Amino acid sequence: IVAVDMIVEDPLFFKTYTDHAAVIDAAKQLLQADSLIYLACPCRNAPYLDDLRRALREDILFLAEDPVQLYHFVAGHADRAMLFGDELLAAMCLPILDKTKTAVLCGGGGIPNVGRIVLPTAEKARRAVGLLQDAIGREETKPHTCLLRPITSE
C-alpha cells in the first residue's frame, strides 16, 4: 500500500520518494557546477529511474554494476563534479576523489571532508508512516505522493 523510494503508477498506492530535481539542484549549488555526474546503484523501478533521468536533464547518470567498474569510471572523470547517491559508493572511491568536486546524498552522517546533500532517514520514515496511516484510514482525499527534498547541503 505504501511504496518507499519507488514510483508505482497505481492510485491505490501511497508513495514517498526523493525529489530528484531538488537533489540535483542542491548538488550543483553546493559544488558550484553547471553539470555533474550522478553515480548510483542500479534501480529496478523503471519509473523511479525515469524520474531521476528527467531531473538530470543533460547531466550524466552512471549506474555502478560493480566496484571495479565504478572505480575506473570515477578515475576517468576525476575532473568532473560528482554526486554519489550512496555513501558506500563514495567510500569505495575515496582515495581518488577530488573532495572539492564531490558530494554525497546521505541520510545524515556523510563522509568527512566531502560535501553532503542530506535527505534524513528519520524524515523518510516519518513520511512513510504518515502515508501508511492515511492508507489504513482510507484517507482517499489526502495526497498519495510525498516528495522528499534535501533539508541541508554543506
Side-chain angles (χ1 to χ4, degrees):
I1 291 179
V2 177
V4 178
D5 283 340
M6 60 188 309
I7 298 174
V8 178
E9 301 296 336
D10 184 327
L12 293 177
F13 277 81
F14 288 78
K15 48 204 161 283
T16 180
Y17 58 92
T18 303
D19 182 339
H20 292 116
V23 167
I24 300 305
D25 290 344
K28 286 180 177 180
Q29 182 177 355
L30 176 68
L31 298 173
Q32 299 177 0
D34 293 328
S35 65
L36 59 77
I37 298 173
Y38 188 95
L39 301 104
C41 295
C43 175
R44 306 242 186 280
N45 183 246
Y48 188 80
L49 196 55
D50 290 343
D51 183 71
L52 175 56
R53 285 188 174 113
R54 277 191 302 277
L56 285 165
R57 295 176 291 272
E58 302 298 317
D59 297 316
I60 296 171
L61 173 62
F62 179 81
L63 298 175
E65 298 287 338
D66 68 69
V68 173
Q69 176 196 37
L70 171 66
Y71 194 88
H72 286 294
F73 181 85
V74 170
H77 296 83
D79 61 329
R80 300 283 308 271
M82 295 186 195
L83 171 61
F84 286 84
D86 182 282
E87 292 172 77
L88 182 58
L89 291 177
M92 286 190 273
C93 299
L94 204 52
I96 59 170
L97 290 179
D98 178 346
K99 294 175 182 76
T100 65
K101 294 181 180 178
T102 304
V104 177
L105 182 60
C106 59
I111 297 174
N113 303 316
V114 173
R116 300 181 325 142
I117 305 297
V118 180
L119 198 61
T121 305
E123 178 65 12
K124 186 184 295 188
R126 187 183 71 73
R127 297 284 181 94
V129 167
L131 289 172
L132 181 58
Q133 289 171 335
D134 290 347
I136 290 170
R138 299 186 185 269
E139 299 286 347
E140 314 246 336
T141 59
K142 289 197 175 177
H144 278 53
T145 301
C146 174
L147 291 178
L148 299 168
R149 293 173 180 83
I151 61 164
T152 59
S153 57
E154 43 191 54

